[in-house]
Amino acid sequence: MGFLDGIMGNASKVDIEKLEKQLGEVLIEGEEIQSGYKVLRDSFIFTDKRLLLVDKQGMTGKKVEYHSIPYKSVTHFSVETAGSFDLDSELKIWLSGTNEPIGKLFKKESPIEEVQRTLARYVL
């Protein structure tokens, strides 16, 4: 069901060992991945030092943009859960020095509450 969840936009938890191999060049010495979630081709990776947003771009996904967000830069965040007729949930993260939030859509069955709880653990 993981492939179908990815096609439908559902977030799924990602194996930490797999993430460590993929992000070996991005992580700093001593930095440890705590958890990770994948939404389509994008990922949210929570380390003990920062939040990494990985945005795969282009048709092949070989071009990758890494957003490195120190937890202290998050000024606030919000979660809008899906309703009866609205099928998408949304996570918004505001960073110090920016007016517009970073926003990501999640499908109704996605564990957006778990992502929000993990973010809260590191930010609060």
Side-chain angles (χ1 to χ4, degrees), residues 8 14 20 24 39 43 48 51 68-69 71 73 81 93 103 105 107 110 114 120 124:
M8 299 307 290
V14 182
E20 287 172 343
V39 180
S43 300
D48 57 341
L51 170 61
S68 181
I69 303 169
Y71 294 121
S73 296
T81 60
I93 303 171
L105 290 177
K107 294 297 180 190
S110 297
E114 187 175 338
L124 303 178

Side-chain angles (χ1 to χ4, degrees), residues 10 12 23 29 67 78 80 85 99-100 121-122:
N10 291 340
S12 57
L23 299 170
E29 186 177 321
H67 290 270
S78 69
E80 182 181 302
F85 300 107
N99 293 327
E100 296 297 317
R121 186 177 318 125
Y122 290 105

Side-chain angles (χ1 to χ4, degrees), residues 2 7 10 13 16 33 50 53 103 105 107:
I7 295 295
N10 291 340
K13 216 164 188 176
I16 291 176
I33 296 174
R50 60 184 160 163
L53 300 179
L105 290 177
K107 294 297 180 190

